[in-house]
Amino acid sequence: MKSMVAFAFFMLFLAGIALVNLRNMGAQKAALNIPVTKAELAGRDWRLQDLGAAGSGHASDVRIAFQEDDRLTVAGPCNRFNGQYELSDRGIRVHALAGTRRACSNEVMQAETSLLAVLADTSSVHIRDNALRLQAADGQSLATFVAATNNEGE
């Protein structure tokens, strides 16, 4: 009888340890830098929320879309840009982008120039809670995009 009670307490102890570990697993997974896949990145439009230190008064007017075939499209408040990107387990690399050359206000042109510089400096991307975060090689946050809803992306 005593051995059964001891066994039951032992099993409860193990169950408690398992429960604590399961609760901590979510936080540990979020802290890991698990590479983003093309399937996660492509297939939706991302709306700029924050351009980090570069700043922009036109953040809500910027959309970026990654395609499965390594192409990317950026729709700024004035111009559109197209190019290619490489996604690997080491990170992301955005190649030089070609774009339209419409003349807009200096403020808008500066915002687009800042965005292009951020894309060129991006070395990794992370998706969490429907947000796409671009980071530099030193870990500095460069920009944050949120997944655009269907009516936002049009």
Side-chain angles (χ1 to χ4, degrees):
M1 180 75 168
K2 286 184 181 182
S3 64
M4 289 185 74
V5 171
F7 180 74
F9 278 117
F10 177 72
M11 293 304 289
L12 284 173
F13 174 74
L14 289 179
I17 290 174
L19 182 61
V20 168
N21 284 333
L22 285 175
R23 283 187 177 172
N24 291 332
M25 187 182 300
Q28 291 171 352
K29 184 177 178 185
L32 295 175
N33 286 329
I34 299 172
V36 172
T37 64
K38 283 186 186 179
E40 293 172 302
L41 198 56
R44 53 183 153 175
D45 288 338
W46 297 95
R47 179 179 51 82
L48 181 62
Q49 184 178 45
D50 178 38
L51 197 52
S56 172
H58 298 275
S60 63
D61 298 337
V62 176
R63 303 279 190 277
I64 190 168
F66 297 86
Q67 284 83 40
E68 291 270 351
D69 63 357
D70 299 334
R71 289 183 302 129
L72 99 119
T73 304
V74 179
C78 183
N79 291 291
R80 293 186 180 275
F81 304 91
N82 297 294
Q84 293 191 323
Y85 71 97
E86 290 179 56
L87 186 65
S88 70
D89 58 349
R90 294 183 313 271
I92 190 169
R93 180 173 174 225
V94 176
H95 296 279
L97 300 175
T100 58
R101 296 180 182 255
R102 293 179 19 194
C104 297
S105 71
N106 285 340
E107 182 181 311
V108 170
M109 297 299 287
Q110 182 57 43
E112 289 183 348
T113 300
S114 296
L115 175 64
L116 294 177
V118 161
L119 291 173
D121 290 343
T122 298
S123 66
S124 64
V125 293
H126 306 280
I127 298 174
R128 183 173 175 195
D129 298 331
N130 231 16
L132 171 67
R133 290 179 179 77
L134 309 183
Q135 290 183 321
D138 64 2
Q140 176 189 5
S141 179
L142 298 174
T144 302
F145 292 80
V146 294
T149 60
N150 288 340
N151 57 356
E152 277 184 314
E154 297 175 1

